[in-house]
Amino acid sequence: MIRARTLPVFFALFRLVFRISLQSLSSLDSKAEVRLDKKIFFAFILLGSLILILSDLPLYGQTIAYVYPAGGQRGTSLEVLIAGSQLGNAKQVWVSGGDVKTEIIVQPRWGNFWEAGIQNGRFMNIFRDMLKEEEKLLPYRNDPKKMAAGRRALRMEREVKRSKEPFDKRGVEIPSDEEFFSYGAYFHRLRNPTLEDLQLVYYEYLAFNFDRRASTAYNSTLIVKFTIGANAKPGKRELYVLAGGKVSRAAWFWISDAKEVNEIEPNHSPIWKDWWNRFKEYVFLPVQKLPVVFNGQIKPGDIDRFHIRARQGQRIIMDLQARSLEPYIANAVPGWFTPVLTVYDALNNELCSADSWKFDQNPLLVFQPPYTGEYILEVRDSIFRGRNDFVYRLAVGAFPLVYAHYPLGGPVNDSLSIYLKGENLPEPIVYPDFTGKVAYEEVRTIDLVKKTGLIRPIKYVVETLPIYQAVAPKRDSRLWDLLLDPDSAPKPSHPQINKPIPLPVPMVVYGRINSPNEVDQYELDCKRDDWLVLDVKAQELGSTMDSVLELYAPDGNLLLMNDDRADSKGPNIGQETHHSDSFLMVHLQKTGKYIVRIYNRSRHSGIDCYYRLRVSRPQPDFDVCILPSSLRFRNKSAQIQVRVFRKEGYRGPIRLTLPKDSANFVISGDGKIGPDENSKNFVIKMNGKMESNPMILQITASAEINGKTVEHPVLPVNDWEQAFIYHHLVPVEHLYISQ
């Protein structure tokens, strides 16, 4: 099949051959028939050869499709399967953040699981023979000495048989055991297999499956040993592979403190009735005590079930991470794995279920067991799809969880307490960091949880403008629980429009929607020819509010309205697909009192329905992204694409610069991005040698705005496609370069 990248070349060659044919036909005579046949023959031979060569070229470079398991417990070692594209001859695997050692154990010859069943049936026959031999050893499974002696005898018998009959019925040479162990992703476990190893290989390669098509998204695999240090910081890390001289696109790997277990198939009911039943013995994952993290994959037709033991009265957090591991799927609708998490009691009665958490498509449940005993957790896709890259992590335990926090930020270089509302909070107050240099505003993060890296963090804003708090916490109590409980407040069916609150400009407002039909109003005294910006942050800070902004002119007529600040065209930076926060920027034509209305589109209300509204003049700014996030220098040069996202009217020039210690690298065109340019290509040239291979290259973007120099680090991103059409720029931590 001709790949998309080779299509232009194909058409060019086709035109060339067609032109040769026309020229030959135009000069056709009785003596030229032989020359014509030769020209056309050799032209089509050339065309066919080039098509075959070009069609085998990779459309994409080194990419990681999925990592399984996608995390591990610190202080432990584990084997990790990395599947992707063009990962052959991998030289190095590393994880950001330190304290994680990696070692490539196996680079299987088979690119993916299904290639084994489709193209190499003879190896499957060998594996079936091995299973039959292991079946003979089942009576000695509890006696290691007899098991080892029996396995040696059976292998010697197999080697003798292979020496007498080295070829199969098709005349193909039968591989040795060691050669066979190097083919499949998990075949190395068959050297001295446990029943769990045999069961794993069987269900990966031989068990009935609805989809055995080979996928170009993961046509090569690696088995890597991870050794996680005891002092490794829990949380989300980035994982890279250096293969073919190029650094792969980043994948994500989590480190936690809780016990980690991997699923064992079959782990759903009913048990598949197939050839494996000849063993008359299955390995099942035992009932787990809390806390625990389950790692699994939802494959075609798959439903995973896990058994836990919980105590009555506990407040158990069940946090399932899927989109945070593989945010987008290019060739599926919806364009991401949509897991559903369900809890059953021991009698298989459904107790609760979740498919999301606020605006996040990673489901989360707060579960209070009605009795002490065993419970069943079920994970499936919402529309019963399944793929190898449907990887997930399910953290279960009495972990801290924050529903909401208030206030949403504080002034720069000041001290402030943030009051929390949530579950299993050991301390109701945390102290954010407001120090440092801030140009306008900055969103920062508090990682409240030290026990596991899976629970969602707290986001707050460092402010440079005056703050007005529409909801004031009671400082003497130090508990936000004593604020107005929205569940006890009246819920009118008609719109509850609050009296307008006069605000000076500029000002930042921290507010909350306490009833479903509440409409907050603010009055602004503005003059003609003023520029006014109304900027809402709610979803970005973890709120459940889908804000709507309305601006009314002094005569009472609706002037402008905005629901979502970005549509399908973007800018789509990050993993969000629903940009529910509102934004307005308007040039005012009249002097007078303007009314700003803000309310929740979804009519949800409560303690987690808070918002931050900035009312100010425009604050011109910009963000610069660079892609791809990894560069390979060929002939000491690499091409990059830069995308500029201009904010609040900034249209001036921008310049890219390298650090002083990167004198070996030069950006073409002096790194200048012209006024109103939003996309530009540059070439980075290397004059000397790289300090290491790979290495990190830092690029800074700067501009003069209102007489001040504004600098931002250039954000490395990867262009992800989802649902066949939408493109998203997913940021990573560093820009890696290699040669």
Side-chain angles (χ1 to χ4, degrees), residues 204-222:
E204 289 291 350
Y205 289 91
L206 296 181
F208 172 75
N209 198 294
F210 292 105
D211 187 358
R212 285 189 178 272
R213 294 171 297 176
S215 173
T216 56
Y218 30 90
N219 58 15
S220 59
T221 54
L222 302 173

PDB file of all heavy atoms in Angstrom, residues 204-222:
ATOM      1  N   GLU A 204      -2.121 -13.688  24.835  1.00  0.00           N
ATOM      2  CA  GLU A 204      -1.668 -12.643  23.926  1.00  0.00           C
ATOM      3  C   GLU A 204      -1.631 -13.125  22.483  1.00  0.00           C
ATOM      4  O   GLU A 204      -1.895 -12.350  21.554  1.00  0.00           O
ATOM      5  CB  GLU A 204      -0.271 -12.150  24.329  1.00  0.00           C
ATOM      6  CG  GLU A 204      -0.226 -11.336  25.598  1.00  0.00           C
ATOM      7  CD  GLU A 204      -0.890  -9.981  25.447  1.00  0.00           C
ATOM      8  OE1 GLU A 204      -1.217  -9.594  24.305  1.00  0.00           O
ATOM      9  OE2 GLU A 204      -1.077  -9.305  26.463  1.00  0.00           O
ATOM     10  N   TYR A 205      -1.314 -14.418  22.273  1.00  0.00           N
ATOM     11  CA  TYR A 205      -1.044 -14.876  20.918  1.00  0.00           C
ATOM     12  C   TYR A 205      -2.047 -15.890  20.368  1.00  0.00           C
ATOM     13  O   TYR A 205      -2.229 -15.966  19.152  1.00  0.00           O
ATOM     14  CB  TYR A 205       0.352 -15.502  20.854  1.00  0.00           C
ATOM     15  CG  TYR A 205       1.457 -14.495  20.972  1.00  0.00           C
ATOM     16  CD1 TYR A 205       1.993 -14.167  22.212  1.00  0.00           C
ATOM     17  CD2 TYR A 205       1.966 -13.862  19.850  1.00  0.00           C
ATOM     18  CE1 TYR A 205       3.003 -13.238  22.322  1.00  0.00           C
ATOM     19  CE2 TYR A 205       2.986 -12.928  19.954  1.00  0.00           C
ATOM     20  CZ  TYR A 205       3.499 -12.625  21.198  1.00  0.00           C
ATOM     21  OH  TYR A 205       4.498 -11.694  21.305  1.00  0.00           O
ATOM     22  N   LEU A 206      -2.665 -16.687  21.214  1.00  0.00           N
ATOM     23  CA  LEU A 206      -3.471 -17.787  20.705  1.00  0.00           C
ATOM     24  C   LEU A 206      -4.951 -17.688  21.034  1.00  0.00           C
ATOM     25  O   LEU A 206      -5.770 -18.262  20.316  1.00  0.00           O
ATOM     26  CB  LEU A 206      -2.943 -19.121  21.254  1.00  0.00           C
ATOM     27  CG  LEU A 206      -1.531 -19.510  20.812  1.00  0.00           C
ATOM     28  CD1 LEU A 206      -1.156 -20.850  21.395  1.00  0.00           C
ATOM     29  CD2 LEU A 206      -1.437 -19.552  19.305  1.00  0.00           C
ATOM     30  N   ALA A 207      -5.309 -17.005  22.103  1.00  0.00           N
ATOM     31  CA  ALA A 207      -6.711 -16.971  22.509  1.00  0.00           C
ATOM     32  C   ALA A 207      -7.544 -16.252  21.466  1.00  0.00           C
ATOM     33  O   ALA A 207      -7.067 -15.401  20.719  1.00  0.00           O
ATOM     34  CB  ALA A 207      -6.859 -16.283  23.869  1.00  0.00           C
ATOM     35  N   PHE A 208      -8.828 -16.572  21.429  1.00  0.00           N
ATOM     36  CA  PHE A 208      -9.739 -15.951  20.473  1.00  0.00           C
ATOM     37  C   PHE A 208      -9.774 -14.451  20.702  1.00  0.00           C
ATOM     38  O   PHE A 208      -9.889 -13.983  21.824  1.00  0.00           O
ATOM     39  CB  PHE A 208     -11.138 -16.535  20.649  1.00  0.00           C
ATOM     40  CG  PHE A 208     -12.180 -15.806  19.835  1.00  0.00           C
ATOM     41  CD1 PHE A 208     -12.258 -15.987  18.468  1.00  0.00           C
ATOM     42  CD2 PHE A 208     -13.048 -14.917  20.446  1.00  0.00           C
ATOM     43  CE1 PHE A 208     -13.205 -15.308  17.728  1.00  0.00           C
ATOM     44  CE2 PHE A 208     -13.992 -14.230  19.702  1.00  0.00           C
ATOM     45  CZ  PHE A 208     -14.072 -14.438  18.333  1.00  0.00           C
ATOM     46  N   ASN A 209      -9.704 -13.717  19.592  1.00  0.00           N
ATOM     47  CA  ASN A 209      -9.750 -12.260  19.672  1.00  0.00           C
ATOM     48  C   ASN A 209     -10.482 -11.742  18.453  1.00  0.00           C
ATOM     49  O   ASN A 209     -10.347 -12.287  17.358  1.00  0.00           O
ATOM     50  CB  ASN A 209      -8.325 -11.689  19.720  1.00  0.00           C
ATOM     51  CG  ASN A 209      -8.291 -10.272  20.238  1.00  0.00           C
ATOM     52  OD1 ASN A 209      -8.802  -9.374  19.597  1.00  0.00           O
ATOM     53  ND2 ASN A 209      -7.685 -10.084  21.398  1.00  0.00           N
ATOM     54  N   PHE A 210     -11.230 -10.668  18.641  1.00  0.00           N
ATOM     55  CA  PHE A 210     -12.019 -10.119  17.548  1.00  0.00           C
ATOM     56  C   PHE A 210     -11.170  -9.397  16.511  1.00  0.00           C
ATOM     57  O   PHE A 210     -11.625  -9.150  15.405  1.00  0.00           O
ATOM     58  CB  PHE A 210     -13.067  -9.135  18.097  1.00  0.00           C
ATOM     59  CG  PHE A 210     -14.130  -9.807  18.908  1.00  0.00           C
ATOM     60  CD1 PHE A 210     -14.123  -9.704  20.291  1.00  0.00           C
ATOM     61  CD2 PHE A 210     -15.112 -10.555  18.304  1.00  0.00           C
ATOM     62  CE1 PHE A 210     -15.100 -10.320  21.046  1.00  0.00           C
ATOM     63  CE2 PHE A 210     -16.090 -11.172  19.046  1.00  0.00           C
ATOM     64  CZ  PHE A 210     -16.087 -11.066  20.426  1.00  0.00           C
ATOM     65  N   ASP A 211      -9.969  -9.022  16.857  1.00  0.00           N
ATOM     66  CA  ASP A 211      -9.161  -8.185  15.970  1.00  0.00           C
ATOM     67  C   ASP A 211      -7.718  -8.662  16.005  1.00  0.00           C
ATOM     68  O   ASP A 211      -7.005  -8.431  16.964  1.00  0.00           O
ATOM     69  CB  ASP A 211      -9.241  -6.723  16.406  1.00  0.00           C
ATOM     70  CG  ASP A 211      -8.552  -5.803  15.399  1.00  0.00           C
ATOM     71  OD1 ASP A 211      -8.006  -6.316  14.418  1.00  0.00           O
ATOM     72  OD2 ASP A 211      -8.582  -4.580  15.619  1.00  0.00           O
ATOM     73  N   ARG A 212      -7.303  -9.329  14.944  1.00  0.00           N
ATOM     74  CA  ARG A 212      -5.913  -9.774  14.843  1.00  0.00           C
ATOM     75  C   ARG A 212      -5.184  -9.062  13.715  1.00  0.00           C
ATOM     76  O   ARG A 212      -4.217  -9.558  13.172  1.00  0.00           O
ATOM     77  CB  ARG A 212      -5.852 -11.287  14.620  1.00  0.00           C
ATOM     78  CG  ARG A 212      -6.161 -12.063  15.884  1.00  0.00           C
ATOM     79  CD  ARG A 212      -5.875 -13.533  15.680  1.00  0.00           C
ATOM     80  NE  ARG A 212      -6.118 -14.276  16.891  1.00  0.00           N
ATOM     81  CZ  ARG A 212      -5.218 -14.480  17.840  1.00  0.00           C
ATOM     82  NH1 ARG A 212      -4.023 -13.973  17.708  1.00  0.00           N
ATOM     83  NH2 ARG A 212      -5.508 -15.174  18.914  1.00  0.00           N
ATOM     84  N   ARG A 213      -5.662  -7.883  13.331  1.00  0.00           N
ATOM     85  CA  ARG A 213      -5.001  -7.133  12.274  1.00  0.00           C
ATOM     86  C   ARG A 213      -3.727  -6.476  12.811  1.00  0.00           C
ATOM     87  O   ARG A 213      -3.714  -5.936  13.894  1.00  0.00           O
ATOM     88  CB  ARG A 213      -5.937  -6.058  11.724  1.00  0.00           C
ATOM     89  CG  ARG A 213      -7.145  -6.616  11.005  1.00  0.00           C
ATOM     90  CD  ARG A 213      -8.127  -5.512  10.693  1.00  0.00           C
ATOM     91  NE  ARG A 213      -8.638  -4.918  11.926  1.00  0.00           N
ATOM     92  CZ  ARG A 213      -9.464  -3.877  11.948  1.00  0.00           C
ATOM     93  NH1 ARG A 213      -9.849  -3.317  10.823  1.00  0.00           N
ATOM     94  NH2 ARG A 213      -9.896  -3.390  13.093  1.00  0.00           N
ATOM     95  N   ALA A 214      -2.681  -6.523  11.992  1.00  0.00           N
ATOM     96  CA  ALA A 214      -1.447  -5.827  12.361  1.00  0.00           C
ATOM     97  C   ALA A 214      -1.665  -4.325  12.263  1.00  0.00           C
ATOM     98  O   ALA A 214      -2.335  -3.837  11.370  1.00  0.00           O
ATOM     99  CB  ALA A 214      -0.313  -6.254  11.443  1.00  0.00           C
ATOM    100  N   SER A 215      -1.110  -3.582  13.201  1.00  0.00           N
ATOM    101  CA  SER A 215      -1.287  -2.139  13.239  1.00  0.00           C
ATOM    102  C   SER A 215       0.052  -1.458  13.034  1.00  0.00           C
ATOM    103  O   SER A 215       1.037  -1.789  13.695  1.00  0.00           O
ATOM    104  CB  SER A 215      -1.891  -1.698  14.579  1.00  0.00           C
ATOM    105  OG  SER A 215      -1.914  -0.296  14.682  1.00  0.00           O
ATOM    106  N   THR A 216       0.094  -0.495  12.089  1.00  0.00           N
ATOM    107  CA  THR A 216       1.332   0.254  11.873  1.00  0.00           C
ATOM    108  C   THR A 216       1.632   1.188  13.033  1.00  0.00           C
ATOM    109  O   THR A 216       2.740   1.690  13.145  1.00  0.00           O
ATOM    110  CB  THR A 216       1.232   1.079  10.582  1.00  0.00           C
ATOM    111  OG1 THR A 216       0.082   1.938  10.665  1.00  0.00           O
ATOM    112  CG2 THR A 216       1.100   0.171   9.373  1.00  0.00           C
ATOM    113  N   ALA A 217       0.636   1.446  13.904  1.00  0.00           N
ATOM    114  CA  ALA A 217       0.865   2.330  15.046  1.00  0.00           C
ATOM    115  C   ALA A 217       1.797   1.688  16.062  1.00  0.00           C
ATOM    116  O   ALA A 217       2.485   2.384  16.801  1.00  0.00           O
ATOM    117  CB  ALA A 217      -0.459   2.702  15.713  1.00  0.00           C
ATOM    118  N   TYR A 218       1.815   0.346  16.143  1.00  0.00           N
ATOM    119  CA  TYR A 218       2.756  -0.327  17.037  1.00  0.00           C
ATOM    120  C   TYR A 218       3.305  -1.562  16.326  1.00  0.00           C
ATOM    121  O   TYR A 218       2.988  -2.702  16.647  1.00  0.00           O
ATOM    122  CB  TYR A 218       2.116  -0.686  18.384  1.00  0.00           C
ATOM    123  CG  TYR A 218       0.640  -0.978  18.381  1.00  0.00           C
ATOM    124  CD1 TYR A 218       0.146  -2.261  18.184  1.00  0.00           C
ATOM    125  CD2 TYR A 218      -0.263   0.045  18.613  1.00  0.00           C
ATOM    126  CE1 TYR A 218      -1.197  -2.512  18.201  1.00  0.00           C
ATOM    127  CE2 TYR A 218      -1.623  -0.203  18.639  1.00  0.00           C
ATOM    128  CZ  TYR A 218      -2.086  -1.488  18.427  1.00  0.00           C
ATOM    129  OH  TYR A 218      -3.444  -1.739  18.448  1.00  0.00           O
ATOM    130  N   ASN A 219       4.170  -1.292  15.329  1.00  0.00           N
ATOM    131  CA  ASN A 219       4.763  -2.376  14.556  1.00  0.00           C
ATOM    132  C   ASN A 219       6.131  -2.798  15.082  1.00  0.00           C
ATOM    133  O   ASN A 219       6.820  -3.577  14.440  1.00  0.00           O
ATOM    134  CB  ASN A 219       4.867  -1.989  13.078  1.00  0.00           C
ATOM    135  CG  ASN A 219       5.683  -0.727  12.862  1.00  0.00           C
ATOM    136  OD1 ASN A 219       6.393  -0.289  13.762  1.00  0.00           O
ATOM    137  ND2 ASN A 219       5.575  -0.139  11.694  1.00  0.00           N
ATOM    138  N   SER A 220       6.549  -2.251  16.211  1.00  0.00           N
ATOM    139  CA  SER A 220       7.775  -2.710  16.856  1.00  0.00           C
ATOM    140  C   SER A 220       7.621  -2.569  18.361  1.00  0.00           C
ATOM    141  O   SER A 220       6.898  -1.696  18.842  1.00  0.00           O
ATOM    142  CB  SER A 220       8.993  -1.912  16.361  1.00  0.00           C
ATOM    143  OG  SER A 220       8.835  -0.540  16.630  1.00  0.00           O
ATOM    144  N   THR A 221       8.295  -3.447  19.094  1.00  0.00           N
ATOM    145  CA  THR A 221       8.149  -3.480  20.545  1.00  0.00           C
ATOM    146  C   THR A 221       9.509  -3.623  21.219  1.00  0.00           C
ATOM    147  O   THR A 221      10.482  -4.090  20.616  1.00  0.00           O
ATOM    148  CB  THR A 221       7.244  -4.654  20.990  1.00  0.00           C
ATOM    149  OG1 THR A 221       7.751  -5.871  20.429  1.00  0.00           O
ATOM    150  CG2 THR A 221       5.817  -4.442  20.531  1.00  0.00           C
ATOM    151  N   LEU A 222       9.525  -3.213  22.486  1.00  0.00           N
ATOM    152  CA  LEU A 222      10.697  -3.368  23.341  1.00  0.00           C
ATOM    153  C   LEU A 222      10.246  -3.898  24.692  1.00  0.00           C
ATOM    154  O   LEU A 222       9.164  -3.535  25.176  1.00  0.00           O
ATOM    155  CB  LEU A 222      11.419  -2.035  23.552  1.00  0.00           C
ATOM    156  CG  LEU A 222      11.939  -1.260  22.342  1.00  0.00           C
ATOM    157  CD1 LEU A 222      12.444   0.100  22.811  1.00  0.00           C
ATOM    158  CD2 LEU A 222      13.037  -2.030  21.661  1.00  0.00           C
TER     159      LEU A 222
END
